[in-house]
Amino acid sequence: MSPVVELRDVGKTYPGGVVALDAVSLAVGAGELVAIAGPSGSGKSTMLHLIGTLDRPSGGTVLVEGRDVSLLSDRRLSALRARRIGFVFQQFHLAAGVSALDNVADGLLYGGVPQAQRRRRARRALERVGLGHRLGHRPHQLSGGEKQRVAIARAVVGEPAMLLADEPTGALDSASGAGVLDLLRGLAGSGTAVIVITHDRDIAAALPRRVRMRDGRIVRDETGTEADR
Amino acid sequence: MTGDAATRPDLPATPPGAPPPGRGGDEGEAAPARLGPRDVLRVGAAGLRARPLRVFLSALGIAIGIAAMIGVVGISTSSRAQLQATLDRLGTNLLTVAPGRDFFGDDAKLPVDTVPMISRIEHVRSVSGTGKLDVKVYRNDRIPEGESGGISVLAARLDLPRTVGLGTVAGRWLNAGTGRYPAVVLGSASADRLGVAAPGAQVWLGSQWFTVVGILAPNDLAPEFDSAALVGWDVAAARLGFDGHPTTVYTRAEKDAVEDVRELLAATANPRSPNEIEVSRPSDALAAENATDEAFTGLLLGLGGVALLVGGVGVANTMVISVLERRAEIGLRRSLGATRGRSGSSSSPSRSCSPRSAGSAASRSASRSPPSSR
């Protein structure tokens, strides 16, 4: 099974000589649920940006669905992000003053989908995350967990091949966090590659595959047995 | 590689039979979609919809600014027009010609035909003159000779009121008839001093009885007429020993040509010896008018400049805040698949800037510090 995303000896050096990633290799296949854990400054976010094609590596190769990202123009990369990659952020980043339905529909904005269809699919995505009764609510009328579920609905409304979540539970209480994790687990079960960045050991331990990072390197990559309960 | 909708047993909310969305052919996948104009507008207006109060206040501020600008310009323009009208009424185009002194320091005289000669100058609208008489006017024949009250007796041409702008408060100005007979028009101050309240009274002028036919209104432009008694040119020559030489010639010139006319006046009034002529400066009102014009223009420019600066800073402020507020959105929109140009970051000076700002917004913006600043 060819991986959805693959990093081959990927390095990232920021101007000023700061090495954020140092020859990292990683492959994530469809349906996998991976936790990337590590202290802050260990290169987690940089790796997420490289996987999500928001940033380009200084060295090495990033392959998304077998395509070399460095060979794609910005327009092609954007199209790739619009259709194959979904993002979830710690701070949700929902548009204020816009209903949950339209927030989710924005996930298809750059995919070339007509608005009526965007709405229809957004409704379906919201029902999938259990918010079918909150379609018209604005972000400030939603709880933190609900906001994150709206954000997840926005990320998956385009049926992406992979979902990147950057501390998705960081701003949530444990109950909402568990709900969000269940949702991610369900998505992985349906065939989406889900990559979760976290610095919370408990959350990392609850996921089937755990990648530990330190100082820009992968120090451990284990496919859990005891956590995979 | 990834499952399609049909292979997702654990997502019951997905309607069965739904077409696998977001799956074009391979070429469709790689080509970026174009945003329709409606979507561009919708995305652009999202910030407006999210903050209707700011939109309202910004619009109100700009409206008030424009209204204030128009108000300031309008008020100062209209008050300038009013001031100019006032100055015009004062007669900024009035020039007076008077005899000066000759080379030997003796009093000179204007030629008898000064008035018709000046009237032939181009751009002269009207000319008139007065001649000072060597007589005094008294209330009656019993008043001692010394108590003349400072009233000067002038022989006046009949067109004097038109040129100088005199009006009467009672009675009327001299005409071709009364100008030949002992009739007198009194200035407002002289009427007071002589105790004449209404036309018809008689005054002792040059040892003869003259009948008052009119009383002049006070005149700002030529105050010398307030304390004067004016008699006709003809009767002055016939009864008061007037030699016909005017002592003051009033000239109204066209406003644009005041300076030109002034240059010609002396030579025209007395071609034989122009040096013996004294021509008044164009009245100070003209200088005032010019100065006012300049001052108002400067004031307006200053006001406009300050208003523009203040308004511009305000508007720029709002725009910067709006942009700052929505900058976090750039990262989000990039992650949703907006191209660099679409997300509005195409103008970033350095290429590394955009991913950085996108990245910082897209990541845990609160806790992440940019790698380069570590």
Side-chain angles (χ1 to χ4, degrees):
Chain A
M1 183 172 185
S2 78
V4 175
V5 63
E6 186 176 359
L7 307 184
R8 286 183 191 156
D9 294 328
V10 167
K12 179 68 185 175
T13 308
Y14 283 108
V18 179
V19 178
L21 271 190
D22 188 10
V24 167
S25 294
L26 180 75
V28 179
E32 268 198 282
L33 178 50
V34 185
I36 296 178
S40 53
S42 60
K44 307 188 298 283
S45 293
T46 302
M47 189 149 91
L48 189 87
H49 293 157
L50 293 177
I51 294 174
T53 72
L54 288 170
D55 211 347
R56 290 173 191 260
S58 324
T61 316
V62 177
L63 298 169
V64 174
E65 297 195 307
R67 267 170 296 195
D68 188 345
V69 165
S70 62
L71 301 179
L72 296 178
S73 66
D74 180 61
R75 282 162 55 77
R76 301 267 162 184
L77 271 188
S78 299
L80 188 70
R81 278 199 300 275
R83 298 194 174 106
R84 310 303 291 149
I85 305 176
F87 288 86
V88 174
F89 309 103
Q90 181 182 13
Q91 300 298 336
F92 325 131
H93 290 302
L94 300 179
V98 176
S99 69
L101 185 70
D102 284 335
N103 258 302
V104 175
D106 264 1
L108 292 168
L109 183 63
Y110 300 97
V113 183
Q115 189 176 10
Q117 201 187 333
R118 289 206 297 268
R119 284 243 168 96
R120 210 161 50 237
R121 287 169 64 179
R123 179 186 301 269
R124 241 168 23 226
L126 276 170
E127 281 163 358
R128 260 165 65 186
V129 300
L131 286 177
H133 58 296
R134 297 279 198 195
L135 298 178
H137 284 55
R138 308 260 161 104
H140 66 269
Q141 295 164 322
L142 298 171
S143 72
E146 285 172 334
K147 278 188 219 171
Q148 194 58 293
R149 272 144 72 188
V150 171
I152 290 174
R154 180 179 61 193
V156 301
V157 68
E159 307 282 342
M162 95 178 126
L163 179 70
L164 306 177
D166 192 351
E167 299 272 8
T169 58
L172 302 178
D173 59 78
S174 54
S176 310
V180 165
L181 277 184
D182 282 345
L183 202 55
L184 295 177
R185 223 173 257 128
L187 287 168
S190 70
T192 310
V194 179
I195 300 173
V196 178
I197 280 192
T198 182
H199 65 270
D200 187 329
R201 283 166 186 274
D202 293 342
I203 288 172
L207 299 186
R209 180 178 169 193
R210 296 170 300 281
V211 175
R212 282 208 64 80
M213 297 198 58
R214 182 178 296 277
D215 299 332
R217 288 197 188 84
I218 293 178
V219 292
R220 205 162 64 218
D221 183 353
E222 52 187 12
T223 306
T225 44
E226 88 280 11
D228 202 8
R229 50 192 173 251
Chain B
M1 303 169 286
T2 57
D4 62 14
T7 66
R8 299 183 174 193
D10 55 345
L11 293 173
T14 308
R23 294 291 201 289
D26 200 58
E27 65 283 347
E29 227 172 75
R34 288 221 157 269
L35 227 54
R38 269 185 62 202
D39 285 334
V40 170
L41 266 183
R42 225 172 48 79
V43 170
L48 304 185
R49 274 189 305 166
R51 301 183 184 278
L53 182 65
R54 175 189 297 168
V55 173
F56 171 73
L57 286 180
S58 302
L60 185 70
I62 292 174
I64 290 178
I66 292 175
M69 191 74 193
I70 292 175
V72 164
V73 170
I75 288 171
S76 31
T77 305
S78 68
S79 54
R80 174 158 108 188
Q82 191 193 5
L83 185 69
Q84 286 203 336
T86 309
L87 292 174
D88 282 348
R89 225 172 22 251
L90 283 177
T92 51
N93 56 348
L94 185 70
L95 295 162
T96 57
V97 176
R101 296 180 183 277
D102 62 17
F103 284 128
F104 308 105
D106 297 329
D107 287 341
K109 279 189 172 179
L110 290 173
V112 176
D113 47 0
T114 299
V115 171
M117 285 199 295
I118 289 179
S119 69
R120 281 177 218 119
I121 301 179
E122 213 182 347
H123 302 306
V124 167
R125 271 205 248 143
S126 62
V127 191
S128 190
T130 58
K132 196 164 170 42
L133 300 177
D134 201 15
V135 295
K136 304 285 184 207
V137 58
Y138 303 95
R139 182 182 293 210
N140 56 42
D141 52 356
R142 309 292 168 97
I143 304 291
E145 207 168 306
E147 298 181 14
S148 62
I151 300 170
S152 53
V153 179
L154 302 173
R157 294 176 61 95
L158 298 180
D159 50 6
L160 186 67
R162 192 165 69 86
T163 304
V164 180
L166 297 175
T168 54
V169 289
R172 53 189 58 216
W173 176 249
L174 301 167
N175 57 33
T178 51
R180 264 186 280 155
Y181 294 100
V184 63
V185 172
L186 297 177
S188 54
S190 3
D192 269 357
R193 284 175 212 159
L194 294 175
V196 176
Q202 294 219 308
V203 292
W204 189 248
L205 192 152
S207 309
Q208 303 165 54
W209 289 106
F210 271 65
T211 304
V212 176
V213 295
I215 297 174
L216 294 175
N219 190 296
D220 292 334
L221 185 58
E224 64 265 30
F225 292 118
D226 287 350
S227 57
L230 298 145
V231 299
W233 203 263
D234 296 336
V235 75
R239 298 190 178 219
L240 300 169
F242 180 45
D243 58 3
H245 291 281
T247 53
T248 309
V249 174
Y250 298 90
T251 306
R252 280 271 181 199
E254 277 166 30
K255 208 170 161 188
D256 305 334
V258 171
E259 290 293 334
D260 298 340
V261 169
R262 181 172 177 261
E263 303 221 331
L264 297 172
L265 272 182
T268 311
N270 192 347
R272 193 177 298 160
S273 40
N275 56 300
E276 295 176 6
I277 304 296
E278 278 183 1
V279 179
S280 75
R281 274 194 295 216
S283 62
D284 293 339
L286 186 63
E289 186 176 328
N290 288 338
T292 315
D293 227 18
E294 280 168 27
F296 262 117
T297 308
L299 181 72
L300 272 186
L301 281 180
L303 269 177
V306 170
L308 273 183
L309 185 71
V310 171
V313 167
V315 170
N317 221 339
T318 312
M319 287 172 73
V320 163
I321 287 175
S322 300
V323 168
L324 283 183
E325 229 168 35
R326 293 196 71 180
R327 205 166 62 174
E329 214 181 300
I330 293 175
L332 172 70
R333 299 217 168 266
R334 292 276 290 158
S335 77
L336 290 180
T339 58
R340 206 177 291 275
R342 265 286 169 248
S343 60
S345 58
S346 54
S347 59
S348 286
S350 90
R351 208 178 139 73
S352 73
C353 234
S354 298
R356 188 74 62 77
S357 64
S360 61
S363 70
R364 305 169 291 132
S365 48
S367 59
R368 177 183 182 267
S369 64
S372 57
S373 64
R374 250 178 277 166

